[in-house]
Amino acid sequence: MFDRAMQALHLLGLEPVAETTSDPNSYGFRKNRSTADAMGQIFVCTSRKASAPWVLEADIRGCFDHINHDWLVRHVPMDKTILRKWLKAGVVHQGRLSPTEEGTPQGGIISPTLANMCLNGLEAGLIAHLCARFGKTKAAKLKVYVVRYADDFVITGSSKDLLETEVRPWIVTFLAQRGLELSPEKTKVTHIDDGFDFLGWNFRKYKGKLLIKPSKKNVKAFYSKVRDIVKTHVSVKQEDLIAKLNPVLRGWAQYHQPVVAKETFSRMDSLIHWRLVRWARRRHPNKSRPWCKSRYWQRAAERDEFAATVKTAEGSIAVKLLKLADTEIVRHEKIKGDYNPFDPKWEVRNVNAVHLTERALCTLHRTFGRTGRLARPSHCLQGGGRVGCSVQPGVVASGLSRQTARSWIDGSETGPIRA
């Protein structure tokens, strides 16, 4: 615990330096950045008709396990003696101490920041190399853009030959200086019309239009998890099964909320429905299917819901299984590349409040007002529409975290933090 506390203390001083020196399009293990921001940047770089058609998909083999210690000690601006002790501390597994000659501390609080600082300069260095090699004007026409999330990154380019003969060799040299190397089986050059997977999404152009959908691998992993939960909870109460499934469904749906996922959501709802039908039939092998349906499904809003009636002190309430298809697709507002949470010029928002526009307040009311999480604004002058809402722009809506509020705001004022 003392070591973790010391790492946290040093991280307080190291993190502002790491943020200041980070590449603008690095999104992993950084404050206020997420996979959705990386997805948004890839959309910016590849969605236009004139965008780069080729993409280098890259993955670093065992990044956290093979970072060169000497490189870290030379380049990380902190106490060299303490850093070397952390790096050389070793790992205890099953009662045996194994030395650590390379890599960052396993499970260490400071490890993600050290890995980020190791890879900082990948984007800026590559662009500088291309400018020196071809000239600034020609380099811009090569359409080379780097988007990195932790140790996974993609690089766009105007031609396959450019990525294979110019960009990839430079990346190999850059990583070798840090004791790292690319994973041959996961590193390849792909045309955008064929599509590529990144961070659980598939990026592909269909007749010139870029669509971002949940990847097949991600969908398969999600359904396998749901199936395992249902299979291992055959004898539990229905409300307990719903309590197990709902967090999984909600988390997966919210992750894919910014992309083209409605069709996938509907397909998963269908598969989950038939999985639950088998669950019910297995519990009651001697009962008919209509009997099972009436026992475990309730009719609500002109559709059948997998729901259980639970008695509480306040009365009976219906606990329903979430429907993925009910998730509203909301475009994610990408963070600006040069945003720095430690720079005073970016401090335009209170941590516990979000300044909302008239349109955003109406959106939040539709989402949270019915559940009591947000007081209802008197905006029903014209049938509850946004036109005629009496709430003035700039009103502060408290009680919601910034992340929660923003995930439900479509077109709100978010100042210079979001692009």
Side-chain angles (χ1 to χ4, degrees):
M1 288 301 294
F2 177 78
D3 287 342
R4 290 182 68 84
M6 289 299 294
Q7 285 191 21
L9 183 63
H10 280 269
L11 183 60
L12 291 175
L14 184 61
E15 198 169 24
V17 179
E19 281 290 337
T20 304
T21 59
S22 289
D23 291 322
N25 293 307
S26 164
Y27 298 98
F29 306 121
R30 295 180 61 185
K31 285 182 177 294
N32 301 326
R33 297 186 182 228
S34 66
T35 55
D37 292 309
M39 176 270 295
Q41 180 60 24
I42 294 177
F43 181 85
V44 170
C45 298
T46 59
S47 60
R48 298 181 179 88
K49 186 177 181 180
S51 297
W54 293 94
V55 178
L56 171 65
E57 307 172 59
D59 179 80
I60 302 173
R61 174 183 289 173
C63 178
F64 287 87
D65 299 328
H66 297 103
I67 297 177
N68 185 275
H69 287 178
D70 292 333
W71 191 96
L72 285 175
V73 172
R74 288 196 307 268
H75 293 88
V76 175
M78 64 171 289
D79 189 293
K80 309 298 181 183
T81 303
I82 293 178
L83 177 58
R84 189 175 291 277
K85 286 182 178 180
W86 282 341
L87 296 175
K88 302 294 184 182
V91 177
V92 177
H93 180 62
Q94 295 181 348
R96 295 186 59 185
L97 176 64
S98 302
T100 49
E101 301 299 331
E102 56 184 4
T104 55
Q106 295 292 323
I109 297 174
I110 205 170
S111 294
T113 301
L114 292 177
N116 260 341
M117 297 192 74
C118 177
L119 296 175
N120 284 344
L122 177 66
E123 180 182 357
L126 177 59
I127 300 302
H129 165 73
L130 294 175
C131 289
R133 177 83 167 80
F134 300 102
K136 190 172 182 180
T137 302
K138 188 175 180 180
K141 296 179 181 179
L142 298 177
K143 304 173 184 177
V144 174
Y145 299 100
V146 181
V147 180
R148 179 171 68 86
Y149 189 91
D151 59 338
D152 295 329
F153 59 93
V154 296
I155 304 175
T156 64
S158 59
S159 69
K160 183 177 182 180
D161 183 67
L162 170 70
L163 294 176
E164 289 183 338
T165 62
E166 193 67 40
V167 173
R168 183 166 180 169
W170 187 90
I171 296 295
V172 170
T173 303
F174 174 89
L175 295 177
Q177 297 171 358
R178 294 153 173 79
L180 303 173
E181 62 179 359
L182 292 175
S183 173
E185 60 273 10
K186 295 182 179 180
T187 303
K188 56 185 178 180
V189 178
T190 309
H191 196 278
I192 192 65
D193 289 343
D194 298 326
F196 65 94
D197 291 347
F198 188 64
L199 302 176
W201 291 302
N202 177 260
F203 300 78
R204 183 180 176 184
K205 275 189 174 180
Y206 298 83
K207 297 181 180 180
K209 183 176 182 179
L210 179 69
L211 296 182
I212 306 173
K213 303 179 181 181
S215 67
K216 292 182 179 179
K217 183 178 179 181
N218 184 273
V219 172
K220 184 177 180 181
F222 164 72
Y223 180 67
S224 295
K225 185 174 183 178
V226 172
R227 180 186 58 201
D228 291 342
I229 292 175
V230 175
K231 279 187 173 182
T232 55
H233 292 80
V234 177
S235 58
V236 302
K237 294 181 179 179
Q238 184 185 13
E239 54 267 29
D240 294 334
L241 176 62
I242 293 174
K244 286 283 185 180
L245 288 175
N246 273 350
V248 178
L249 300 178
R250 183 182 295 107
W252 191 75
Q254 289 180 349
Y255 183 81
H256 295 291
Q257 189 178 34
V259 302
V260 184
K262 275 294 185 180
E263 183 178 340
T264 303
F265 286 165
S266 297
R267 186 170 71 252
M268 286 298 102
D269 279 337
S270 178
L271 291 175
I272 293 171
H273 169 77
W274 289 111
R275 174 60 57 183
L276 293 173
V277 169
R278 289 191 287 271
W279 174 85
R281 296 299 301 276
R282 185 176 177 183
R283 288 167 66 93
H284 307 282
N286 297 324
K287 298 293 185 179
S288 65
R289 180 170 293 181
W291 186 93
C292 292
K293 179 180 177 180
S294 63
R295 173 66 175 80
Y296 294 105
W297 276 264
Q298 298 180 14
R299 192 70 177 174
E302 298 184 354
R303 68 180 185 182
D304 294 327
E305 301 269 10
F306 186 77
T309 302
V310 180
K311 294 182 179 180
T312 64
E314 291 78 17
S316 298
I317 59 172
V319 180
K320 301 188 297 182
L321 185 73
L322 293 178
K323 287 280 190 181
L324 296 173
D326 289 344
T327 304
E328 183 181 0
I329 303 300
V330 180
R331 179 182 62 85
H332 178 76
E333 297 180 60
K334 189 186 80 67
I335 196 168
K336 285 192 172 182
D338 57 348
Y339 168 70
N340 186 340
F342 300 99
D343 190 337
K345 74 177 183 180
W346 293 102
E347 294 180 0
V348 295
R349 288 292 179 269
N350 185 288
V351 175
N352 298 316
V354 180
H355 290 259
L356 304 176
T357 60
E358 175 180 311
R359 181 181 182 185
L361 281 170
C362 295
T363 302
L364 284 173
H365 168 245
R366 291 200 311 275
T367 304
F368 297 109
R370 301 186 186 100
T371 61
R373 295 180 65 183
L374 185 69
R376 174 175 179 170
S378 55
H379 69 289
C380 302
L381 301 183
Q382 296 187 18
R386 287 172 176 155
V387 178
C389 178
S390 62
V391 180
Q392 297 300 317
V395 173
V396 175
S398 59
L400 294 173
S401 68
R402 295 172 66 181
Q403 181 179 2
T404 302
R406 280 180 177 162
S407 67
W408 290 98
I409 297 173
D410 179 18
S412 64
E413 285 183 353
T414 54
I417 289 182
R418 299 281 164 174

